[in-house]
Amino acid sequence: MFLAERIKEAFTSYLEKVGLAWWVEIFTRHPECTYYFGPFMSAKEAKLAQDGYIEDLEAEGAQGISVQIKRCQPQELTIDNSQKPGF
C-alpha cells in the first residue's frame, strides 16, 4: 500500500505541474476570501474532500460559502479579496 500511495502522489504532482490537477476552490463572503485545496487526481476525489474543508471554514466562522471543483494552477492557496475592487 505504501508504494501505491507514492505512485498516486507522484502522479498527482505531475498533473499539478502540467495544469491538469483538480482543486476545490472555495469562496467566502465573510471573510472575503478565496481558498484552494488540493491538488487531486480527479474531480470525484476533490468532491469527496470538499465537505471537510467547508466544515473547517464554518468552524472558523466563515459565512457565505460557495464551492467549485475545477482544474487550475493556483498561485496562492488563500487570497484576501477584501482589497480587490469589484469582488
Side-chain angles (χ1 to χ4, degrees):
M1 186 157 133
F2 179 71
L3 179 61
E5 288 175 19
R6 291 184 56 119
I7 291 170
K8 179 181 175 184
E9 287 176 12
F11 186 63
T12 302
S13 178
Y14 168 77
L15 290 175
E16 180 181 12
K17 287 179 183 165
V18 297
L20 296 176
W22 291 90
W23 290 80
V24 177
E25 179 184 64
I26 300 179
F27 299 99
T28 60
R29 286 286 172 200
H30 249 317
E32 291 181 36
C33 290
T34 304
Y35 302 93
Y36 291 94
F37 299 96
F40 297 96
M41 285 189 349
S42 68
K44 180 180 180 181
E45 184 181 14
K47 182 124 177 92
L48 289 171
Q50 79 179 13
D51 289 343
Y53 301 128
I54 292 168
E55 288 173 15
D56 289 346
L57 290 170
E58 287 175 336
E60 292 175 10
Q63 297 174 346
I65 296 173
S66 61
V67 181
Q68 286 188 335
I69 305 296
K70 63 190 233 179
R71 283 185 163 148
C72 62
Q73 289 180 297
Q75 301 302 307
E76 299 177 61
L77 299 181
T78 302
I79 301 167
D80 179 356
N81 296 314
S82 64
Q83 303 301 318
K84 294 183 178 184
F87 185 78

